[in-house]
Amino acid sequence: MSPISPEAPKVKTNDTTQPADIEAQGPSAHHHITFEPDNSRGRNHYDSAARRRSSSRDSISSVRSRARSTTGVPIEFRSLSFQVGESQAENEKTHRGKVEEDAKNDDKDYFAKLDFHLLEGSQVCKELNVNPENGLSTSEATLRLSRDGPNTFPGRRENYLKKVFFYIFGGFCSVLWIGVIIFFICWQPLGDPNPAAYNLGLAILVLIVIFLQAAFSAFQDWSTARTMKSILNLLPAETLAVRDGEPRKVGSVDLVVGDIVKVVIGNKVPADLRILSTSGDVRFDRSMLTGESEEVEGNIKMTDKNFLETRNIALMGTMVTNGSATGIVILTGGDSVMGRIAKATASIKDVPTHIQREITRFVRIIVSLTIILALLILLTWVGWLRVDHFAYMNVIAMLNNVMGCVVAFIPEGMPVAVALTLMVVARRMRSNNILPKGLSTVETLGCVNVLCSDKTGTLTENKMVVSTVCFVDKRMPVDEALCTLSVDPPQSLSLDNLHRASVLCNDATFDVLSLDRPVLERDIQGNATDGATLKFAELARGGVGKTIKDAHPRVFQIPFNSKNKWMLTLHKSTSDSASPAVESSENTSEFLMLVKGAPDVLQPHCTTYWSYTSNSIQPFNAAAKAQFSALQEALSRNGERVILLCQRYVNPRERLGSNAFADEVQDTAMTDLTIIGLLGITDPPRKETASTVAACRRAGIRFFMVTGDFGLTAAAIARNVGIFTNPGDPDTIQAITERNELEDATLDSEKKVVLSQSTQTSLLLEGPAISDLTDDYWDVVCGYEEIVFARTSPEQKLRIVKEFKSRGNVVAVTGDGVNDAPALRAADVGVAVVTGSDVALEAADLVLLDKFDAIIDAIRLGRLVFQNLQKVISYLLPAGSWSEIWPVLMNVFFGVPLPLSSFLMIMICVFTDLFLSLSLIMEKEEFDLLELPPRNHKKDHLINFKIYAQSYLFIGVMETVCAHSMFFLYMYKHAGIPFSALVFAFENYSDGFYGYTQEELINFNTTGQCVYFVTLVILQWGNILSIRNKRLSILQADPIRKKRRNPWLLAGAAISLSIAVFVTEQPGIQTIFGTASVPIEFWLLPLPLALGILMMDEIRKLTVRTWPKGPIARIAW
């Protein structure tokens, strides 16, 4: 028996209790091989517990909780492993030499250039200048320790001081702090000898506003953060190293490159080791790195060119779960794999989400305008008022005006409103069985224009059943096969062999609680493909499975993984009629090897096949291969997943149960296989899949399938669920190549036909082609509307995400396995199902707790939150910004007594407006948001010119004019001072003005300010009734009737009114902050004005609806 390749394939399994399905599994991390002791004949082989590992009795079981404690690490490890593999694929010719320092800055290049695992152990010792028997001398170890530093690595530490500093001093707070300082200065020392309590009260009030904003920002940030678990206690305190020819205990932090280290069962590996010798059965638990609880066998030979995947390297922090080994330290501290990952995770900077960038942009605009206005007021005072109207405005009054400008123009309540909006929508998502792990993720969903979805278990029910049974020379429906198998004695050796292989080469079992149900309705412990095969075998011959397993005890296995796309089991052989290839039943070292997997992977390694017509083994010649290909294509076009079963009898030389035995089998397994037969398995699409795909397409989202299935099978299912809508065959990479060639060549008739047959909308792209695509080809691929990526590995899935993102798309990805984690994290929105692995759930931004169609609700709510945020901001700006800045400008430039105090400005922004704005958070969608295309995050900003025009130039102007009118009306009606006398009054508004004392004038001004305040509060009622609908009339969508009912609106209005009454009537507030009672008529007069604002906006909406392409519609928000 000869190996098929110098490096054996590597296999891994998922971290979940049930092995992942064939297409859901990630790439191999290592060969996972399971042994059973020789005395296991009487056992029920591979029950649900044995699907993991049946290791020797002193083996330490993998601890899954350890993987959970460092869930961020597997994501980094798997990403790094993918990158190293890609780097080596680009440059197969590796050499080591000395790794350059600049390469150390790039983990991918760093590990790709290492070749300790490629060299023989003796050569590694020679290069590191150490004798493997004597180890390092104490003096040499001390020298290396001083040169390389201790064997420690950085863990991630949150800079809480920096976070708190940003919460308190970031955003609008940075400007408000200036106000606090100035108000304190105005109180003392500028206010001496009679400091005004008003200035002290304002300083304290602004401080309350700052800390209120900081508290909400901190809550939002901490609720969205996916904190990477710190890497603690991964190193043992001491380890056994050979120094000066003697084994001695050495502190792990004192280990250096070149140390000879011995590890035994129960030890943690203290550094990255190149294994020199083993006990033959050493195993390591890498769960804290890979996220998988399955163990890895140690080896002294290279098993993978990827440094991170080979089994002759023991990685720092992993646990020795069986046996013992001796190795040489090759990497320590920050240069080790764990050290590199620790540094990477410690230096990860959170990338702002789309909504965070929008908020930052808005803050910058508002702060910039505020600074400009404040400087304008300051310069006006210095250059004009101080000279021509010295008695009008002293330094304290000027500073109060400057800070009044700051307080007026900044909508202090907006950060709180935004945080609450995201929280409310996130809670609404949870009620729809959608768990957003970050509040900002909610809005990002509204921008998604590409959705890459798994097939099995996501688009399909993951309830597979065998529908067709095939041999190279025979195809039959499953009912016919079951009927033939039910006859005793067997009439077909080939069908009997297929049944035996279906039982033995299978890791699924029936759930014991469902054994009383019919076979097809029983629950399965295991992956869906194995489950379908098991149900087929049980339907054929119920209860025979245990007998077959007892007759052929399993002694070895290589579980399925999505990189190799096959699984292998080895069984003790017995002589029977179904095994004509057995030469001697007395040969106890002969084993029956069964392989099950993807036909396109296994078929090249087959040389014979079982003939159904002749009941004998025949050569797999060209004619048989043609029959096989036609059969596979026919099944695939019918949407059936095709599974090939093969067999072979082997005689390993090494001892059963040793790692050498495993290496021998895996190195020689994939040669001279005999095809037993094929099973066509169908997995019906979920009932909601077609409607989900249609809804995504209606919402302007391109829906792509990413699967490990055969291309034709995937294309058939894609057509069934609506991913492919073109009746013709989808394009392939060949079609793209030919079309590109035709663009530069003279078209002959044959090529014209090829070009005309190209759909240019639907594309079927299979894994092997993905790795070879250039940027130019990716430009073409990313332009297709309908794509199925078939035969993909997790590395390719990650590349698909990156390619689409690099071309300006906002990508959502679904996944459930450990190896999906890098793609999930790389996507703008990673979507995991709740049954996925811990690592996938950690990497995802969104977790679906029930059906897949819940993602439509998530997208709808993501778009709704953006619209509601726009409404909240549009509501806050007219009164909380525009109508507050004009009183300051009127006071400074027109000499009018200040119509609105800074205290009342803050009350509007932070209290009266805020509570009413929260009702907008609860607004339902005005129309079907899925009819809109996805938001272009580069152009469609949260705050744009249209919103500024609506808030400032339309609603804001009306509110400003109305509020000033009420102020001047009060001054005229109650003080007898006309508008003309107040304009340009400046210092004249003092003792003796219109016969009033200074105290009386101050009282009139104070009451007028409260009139202005009350007017704005009531005018905002009209504003909120108009702003809650962008296009619909209030008669179509009022807040009373059930369809758009919003009881929070009335509650918010009542709270705002109560605050206004409290502020103007409470004696303590009146004393400290200079407020006064408002005459009753000025509580009533603003009501028709508010109605007038509502009517004006109704006219605007009517104009937009009547002339949707007119000039008003083009500037409407």
Side-chain angles (χ1 to χ4, degrees), residues 687-702:
K687 295 179 180 178
E688 67 271 13
T689 297
S691 60
T692 301
V693 173
C696 285
R697 183 163 285 120
R698 182 164 58 91
I701 299 172
R702 292 186 289 168

Side-chain angles (χ1 to χ4, degrees), residues 1039-1061:
I1040 306 300
R1041 285 181 290 185
K1042 185 175 181 180
K1043 184 176 182 181
R1044 291 290 305 281
R1045 182 179 299 161
N1046 189 349
W1048 298 97
L1049 193 148
L1050 298 177
I1055 293 174
S1056 296
L1057 181 63
S1058 301
I1059 293 172
V1061 172

Side-chain angles (χ1 to χ4, degrees), residues 219-283:
F219 179 79
Q220 181 185 3
D221 188 25
W222 286 336
S223 65
T224 63
R226 287 151 292 164
T227 306
M228 183 73 71
K229 307 294 184 182
S230 58
I231 306 168
L232 301 173
N233 301 322
L234 292 177
L235 292 179
E238 291 183 327
T239 191
L240 193 64
V242 178
R243 295 270 178 94
D244 297 319
E246 298 180 356
R248 62 180 65 172
K249 289 185 177 180
V250 176
S252 295
V253 296
D254 297 327
L255 285 179
V256 296
V257 173
D259 261 326
I260 304 298
V261 174
K262 297 179 181 294
V263 291
V264 298
I265 181 173
N267 289 164
K268 287 182 179 178
V269 179
D272 287 352
L273 308 179
R274 167 60 164 89
I275 299 176
L276 301 178
S277 63
T278 74
S279 60
D281 58 352
V282 67
R283 302 189 191 106

Side-chain angles (χ1 to χ4, degrees), residues 771-783:
S771 302
D772 300 329
L773 293 181
T774 63
D775 286 343
D776 291 338
Y777 275 97
W778 274 110
D779 290 338
V780 177
V781 169
C782 292

Side-chain angles (χ1 to χ4, degrees), residues 538-701:
E538 185 69 9
L539 283 171
R541 296 173 179 172
V544 178
K546 185 178 184 303
T547 304
I548 296 176
K549 289 181 178 180
D550 289 342
H552 304 274
R554 184 189 297 187
V555 295
F556 171 86
Q557 78 163 358
I558 302 176
F560 176 88
N561 80 93
S562 64
K563 188 171 185 178
N564 296 329
K565 301 185 186 298
W566 50 261
M567 73 170 290
L568 179 149
T569 59
L570 204 66
H571 306 265
K572 286 192 174 182
S573 174
T574 57
S575 178
D576 63 299
S577 59
S579 306
V582 179
E583 295 176 1
S584 172
S585 61
E586 297 177 358
N587 185 353
T588 57
S589 65
E590 185 172 62
F591 298 93
L592 169 64
M593 183 181 75
L594 298 171
V595 186
K596 178 178 68 179
D600 52 327
V601 175
L602 297 181
Q603 185 262 342
H605 306 291
C606 299
T607 56
T608 56
Y609 73 94
W610 267 100
S611 169
Y612 182 83
T613 56
S614 65
N615 259 338
S616 62
I617 295 178
Q618 301 294 326
F620 193 48
N621 52 28
K625 290 179 180 179
Q627 284 182 290
F628 183 91
S629 298
L631 186 63
Q632 181 184 0
E633 181 175 347
L635 293 175
S636 298
R637 286 188 179 277
N638 197 36
E640 297 180 50
R641 168 181 288 184
V642 185
I643 302 299
L644 176 63
L645 292 103
C646 304
Q647 71 176 35
R648 181 185 169 196
Y649 286 86
V650 295
N651 293 275
R653 295 184 298 273
E654 300 294 341
R655 178 178 58 86
L656 174 64
S658 67
N659 287 354
F661 175 88
D663 292 339
E664 180 182 356
V665 172
Q666 67 194 22
D667 288 343
T668 60
M670 302 298 287
T671 56
D672 298 328
L673 297 178
T674 297
I675 295 176
I676 303 174
L678 301 94
L679 297 177
I681 298 176
T682 56
D683 184 10
R686 291 181 181 272
K687 295 179 180 178
E688 67 271 13
T689 297
S691 60
T692 301
V693 173
C696 285
R697 183 163 285 120
R698 182 164 58 91
I701 299 172

Side-chain angles (χ1 to χ4, degrees), residues 407-483:
V407 171
F409 210 71
I410 291 179
E412 291 89 349
M414 195 203 73
V416 177
V418 170
L420 289 175
T421 301
L422 295 175
M423 288 168 55
V424 168
V425 175
R427 180 172 297 179
R428 194 180 299 180
M429 280 190 168
R430 293 187 187 101
S431 67
N432 289 337
N433 291 317
I434 307 163
L435 180 63
K437 296 176 63 182
L439 298 182
S440 299
T441 301
V442 174
E443 187 278 330
T444 306
L445 280 165
C447 304
V448 169
N449 56 14
V450 170
L451 176 59
C452 298
S453 174
D454 283 333
K455 179 179 72 67
T456 302
T458 303
L459 302 180
T460 62
E461 294 182 356
N462 203 22
K463 296 179 180 178
M464 300 185 183
V465 293
V466 175
S467 56
T468 309
V469 177
C470 302
F471 299 90
V472 173
D473 53 359
K474 177 67 175 179
R475 174 182 176 182
M476 66 183 76
V478 67
D479 292 340
E480 181 181 338
L482 294 176
C483 182

